[in-house]
């Protein structure tokens, strides 16, 4: 399996929704990776140009 690192930003609408109803989404993100045959290793909220960083392990791409 391969380790992947992904970064991203939330839309203003997503930030507004998350501020109105805060919750821990790490379990839902872990389930998403598990459904794809991988696993969530770490999930970080960050400051700067990106809002989050995910480190995950997923099946290798077919060659």
């Amino acid at each position: 399996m391969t380790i992947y690192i992904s970064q991203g930003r939330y839309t203003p609408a997503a930030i507004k929704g998350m501020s109105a109803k805060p919750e821990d989404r790490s379990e839902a993100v872990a389930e998403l990776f598990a459904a794809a045959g991988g696993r969530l290793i770490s999930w970080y909220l960050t400051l700067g140009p990106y809002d989050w960083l995910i480190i995950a392990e997923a099946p290798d791409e077919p060659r």
Side-chain angles (χ1 to χ4, degrees):
M1 292 237 246
T2 302
I3 303 282
Y4 293 93
I5 300 172
S6 300
Q7 298 173 281
R9 296 187 317 195
Y10 293 116
T11 65
I15 292 171
K16 185 177 179 180
M18 289 185 292
S19 297
K21 185 182 175 196
E23 60 184 303
D24 181 1
R25 300 294 297 155
S26 60
E27 187 173 318
V29 173
E31 288 174 7
L32 179 69
F33 278 101
R39 74 178 178 97
L40 177 65
I41 296 172
S42 300
W43 180 25
Y44 302 97
L45 297 176
T46 60
L47 300 174
Y50 297 100
D51 297 322
W52 53 264
L53 180 135
I54 289 177
I55 302 173
E57 186 175 44
D60 296 335
E61 293 183 35
R63 294 182 184 224

